[in-house]
Each structure stands twice: as C-alpha cells, then as structure tokens.
Amino acid sequence: MFLNTKNHQIQGSQRAQQKRWQIEYLVNPKQLLEIGFSDGSDVVQSLKRTPKSIPMHYRYDDRGSQLFEQICDVPEYYLTRTETAILQECASEIVLMTGACELVELGSGNAVKTRILLDAYQQLGSLMRYLPIDISAGILESSGLALLDDYPSLQIQGLVSTFEMGLLQLAPSSLPTRMICFIGSTLGGLNRQESDVLLTQVATALQPGEYFLLGLDLHKSKHLLEAAYNDSQGVNAQFNFNILHHLNQKFQGNFDATKFDHRVFYNESLQQMQIYLQSLQKQTIQLDSLELNIELELDELILTALARKFELNSIQQKLQSFGLRSLQIWTDPNQWYGLLLSQRQ
Ligand SMILES: C[S@@+](CC[C@H](N)C(=O)[O-])C[C@H]1O[C@@H](n2cnc3c(N)ncnc32)[C@H](O)[C@@H]1O
C-alpha cells in the first residue's frame, strides 16, 4: 500500500506530460514509526553497540546527495568515471540482449549514468517505463523531472523509499520484460547479510527470464582505494561529517563536526573500505528526540560506512545462488570495475 501519493504540477507543461510523472513517498514519518524505520531506533541500536556505528542511509539527505555528486568528480574517485566508460561501451549490447520494457533502478541518485542506458533504449529498444527508487526525495524529484523533459515517450514512477520497502512494494510488471538495475557499486555499502536480503528481494521481484544489471567496484590496491575515499580536496570528509548534521537535524542532536576527524581504512582480508568518524576528544553527545546520551572516548571510532569490493568469480557464484544466472560481464582495461548482467532462472 502506498502511504502518500503526489502528482507533481509541472509548470507550463501539458496534461499528457503530467500523466507520465508520478512519485510515491513511502518514507512518511508518521507511518514509518509504525514499521520501525527511520524513527531513530536504528541509530539508537547502532550507537549503543560496541564498536559504535551509524546506519549508512543517513549519509543521504539532500546535502549528502549533493556532496556525493561532488565526490564523483574528484580526481581520486575513479569509480564513476570507470563505470561511465563501461556503460558507454556496452549500453547498446545491454539493450539488444534484454529488450526490457521496464527499468527499475535501486538508488538512482542523479541518474546521470542511467541516461546512457536510456539513450540506448531510446535509439534501439522498447523501454516504456522507468521506476527509480531512492531514499533521498530531493534528488529523486529533480532527476525524475529532468528525465521527463529529455525522454518524451518515457513514463516515470519514482519511489522515495528504502531499497527493501521499495522492492516489497513493487507489483509484478504489466509490461513484458523488467530489468532491475543497481549500479554505482551501491551494493558494496550493504553488509553481507543486508546484501543477501536485497538479492533475495531482487530475485523475487523478477519473473523467470527477466534481468538484473549490477555495477560493482572490484578489489584492487589499498593505496588506490584509500585515496578514492579520502580525496585531497576533502569532499569525502565533508560527506562523512554531513551525517552528523543530518542526525542533529533529524533527532535534535548536538554533534559538533569540528570535534571529529574523517578516517578511512581498507581491510584487505575482508575486502572492504571502512569509513569512520574519529572523536578528537572525550565528549558526550545528546540526541534529544531519541532520549539518547552517548559517551565518546578520545580517538574512539564510529563506523559510518562500508564499501565492499568484489571479485568477479565470487559475485557470479553469489548471484547464481539467488537464481540469477550470469549472462555477460563488462569491465575496463585495468579491471577496476565490473558490470554484470544476469538473468532470473
Ligand atoms: C552511491 S550512490 C549511487 C547513485 C547512482 N546510482 C550512481 O551510480 O551515481 C547511492 C544512492 O542510493 C541511495 N540510497 C542509499 N541507501 C539507500 C537505501 N537504504 N534505500 C534507498 N536508497 C538508498 C542514495 O540516496 C544514493 O542516491
């Protein structure tokens, strides 16, 4: 059941265009209290645990989404450039292989890379409907409206939601073929258990014969990885500090970002980047609306994000274990990044 539906008024456009654009808000604070998400219970649990952490989705308020866009442009952050180049090479092939009529995108963000696929579908394919799902309402609204202008025959149904709730909400498509797309290596931000839950949901949302396109950052040298998450302009650091502003605003908190440092570490045995905020002093933090007091020691670390890195063989096997058979893999000349197309069996 949708909790709230809003059809946007698009100034100066025709009624036909309004019909092509719909956005649904699953993240309605009152209802979310009932289902236990974003009422802050996840923050309370993760900050009371040892070691402390903050759930990764708090990185993405509107300011966080803007900062993520800036990260994509810093020289050290090779991920976006590399995935873009791969998509430019293989988009036509993907369109011809899948013939998808409906594209569901998890964590669509600004949808800039999605445009490469949409252009190829517009030229060669039969895509009729695009369903972006993202927790960040602002970026979903702005990117959806921009796409509406640029793809005149596309219906767009945005869903402001978590991945899990969005996938649960997804009805079987009335159109012949669906492809779910999850690019930007966003899967790497989920821990192993969350990732398994998500892959189960993806497999359930697809009919046999339908497609899953997954973009992943691959395991590589510690030096390159740590530089990508700790750029010299400090944009990654601002993105990390913004979590504290977001929590302050959402839960009437008193985090002071100047009392923290941005720390990153590539854990080679677990093949994951670990991103932390380190307390520069002993301090007490209050989050009033959660009635939460947290004591932080000097140098204590709060884990704010994981970015897991992958090996192509093991991710193929993983997908296969969820009934997603690998059809094709595209990568770059350095083998830094992989794009995997699989098919629901
Ligand atoms: C790494 S960015 C990738 C954006 C875009 N796909 C790209 O490749 O540039 C992750 C996106 O997923 C969204 N996101 C993060 N966690 C989410 C969650 N739990 N549920 C829904 N969206 C989420 C963020 O708002 C953000 O737009």
Side-chain angles (χ1 to χ4, degrees):
M1 184 191 64
F2 285 121
L3 305 176
N4 183 9
T5 302
K6 173 167 144 192
N7 278 310
H8 271 253
Q9 300 300 313
I10 303 160
Q11 266 192 344
S13 71
Q14 296 160 340
R15 281 180 83 178
Q17 194 178 13
Q18 289 184 12
K19 278 190 190 159
R20 294 198 291 116
W21 168 239
Q22 203 189 23
I23 187 158
E24 321 261 2
Y25 294 79
L26 287 193
V27 267
N28 169 324
K30 183 170 170 289
Q31 302 279 349
L32 285 167
L33 282 178
E34 286 159 26
I35 56 175
F37 174 81
S38 223
D39 57 349
S41 54
D42 55 352
V43 178
V44 174
Q45 277 170 23
S46 59
L47 282 176
K48 277 189 168 171
R49 238 179 261 137
T50 308
K52 295 182 174 61
S53 62
I54 297 172
M56 109 154 181
H57 64 86
Y58 287 100
R59 296 190 295 168
Y60 293 101
D61 60 350
D62 290 344
R63 172 88 181 123
S65 297
Q66 283 164 8
L67 285 165
F68 179 74
E69 279 185 50
Q70 288 177 35
I71 289 175
C72 293
D73 289 335
V74 301
E76 297 92 333
Y77 197 80
Y78 59 85
L79 285 84
T80 311
R81 281 192 307 278
T82 312
E83 190 176 46
T84 301
I86 298 173
L87 275 167
Q88 281 164 342
E89 281 286 312
C90 70
S92 313
E93 228 179 310
I94 292 171
V95 170
L96 295 173
M97 286 175 79
T98 62
C101 297
E102 182 179 277
L103 180 65
V104 177
E105 182 168 14
L106 303 173
S108 47
N110 64 10
V112 167
K113 278 175 286 175
T114 317
R115 285 170 175 264
I116 303 169
L117 278 176
L118 295 179
D119 287 343
Y121 273 111
Q122 190 160 261
Q123 254 195 319
L124 302 165
S126 49
L127 193 70
M128 293 166 70
R129 194 183 296 148
Y130 173 55
L131 288 101
I133 298 176
D134 204 292
I135 190 89
S136 176
I139 200 142
L140 191 68
E141 288 164 1
S142 58
S143 62
L145 287 171
L147 290 176
L148 201 64
D149 287 337
D150 295 341
Y151 299 89
S153 59
L154 198 62
Q155 270 181 28
I156 303 178
Q157 291 182 1
L159 199 50
V160 178
S161 160
T162 63
F163 303 135
E164 296 75 11
M165 289 164 65
L167 282 166
L168 274 176
Q169 179 70 32
L170 215 56
S173 179
S174 54
L175 296 171
T177 311
R178 169 179 282 171
M179 178 162 83
I180 297 180
C181 160
F182 196 25
I183 56 176
S185 207
T186 307
L187 185 77
L190 307 185
N191 66 34
R192 283 163 180 78
Q193 196 190 349
E194 292 165 336
S195 158
D196 285 358
V197 170
L198 185 123
L199 292 175
T200 307
Q201 285 195 297
V202 164
T204 307
L206 295 173
Q207 300 292 322
E210 293 185 329
Y211 301 94
F212 180 46
L213 183 68
L214 179 62
L216 291 177
D217 195 22
L218 304 179
H219 173 62
K220 60 183 67 61
S221 95
K222 187 176 169 76
H223 167 73
L224 277 169
L225 282 165
E226 289 185 348
Y229 291 86
N230 195 10
D231 59 287
S232 51
Q233 292 170 37
V235 189
N236 276 281
Q238 284 181 52
F239 184 51
N240 204 8
F241 296 138
N242 183 62
I243 299 170
L244 302 179
H245 299 302
H246 188 192
L247 291 183
N248 282 348
Q249 189 213 358
K250 203 159 185 151
F251 304 117
Q252 296 172 290
N254 68 342
F255 277 110
D256 176 351
T258 63
K259 295 181 180 161
F260 290 86
D261 228 347
H262 168 67
R263 292 264 179 252
V264 304
F265 167 69
Y266 185 56
N267 184 327
E268 287 181 281
S269 57
L270 293 177
Q271 298 196 335
Q272 62 189 25
M273 282 301 307
Q274 296 169 186
I275 299 156
Y276 298 96
L277 287 165
Q278 184 170 38
S279 177
L280 293 174
Q281 60 185 64
K282 188 171 163 57
Q283 50 182 318
T284 305
I285 306 297
Q286 279 131 21
L287 292 168
D288 285 344
S289 68
L290 300 177
E291 297 178 358
L292 179 68
N293 279 355
I294 315 146
E295 300 294 336
L296 288 169
E297 297 303 322
L298 170 68
D299 291 338
E300 186 170 349
L301 295 168
I302 305 177
L303 180 72
T304 54
L306 286 183
R308 290 191 297 126
K309 305 299 162 186
F310 298 86
E311 304 217 353
L312 290 171
N313 279 344
S314 41
I315 188 71
Q316 269 180 301
Q317 285 168 20
K318 175 62 102 180
L319 290 172
Q320 182 64 57
S321 72
F322 289 93
L324 296 161
R325 184 173 63 90
S326 176
L327 290 183
Q328 180 96 31
I329 294 179
W330 295 271
T331 183
D332 55 292
N334 295 316
Q335 301 243 326
W336 281 357
Y337 203 93
L339 198 64
L340 296 92
L341 180 67
S342 58
Q343 187 170 37
R344 179 79 170 96
Q345 288 179 306

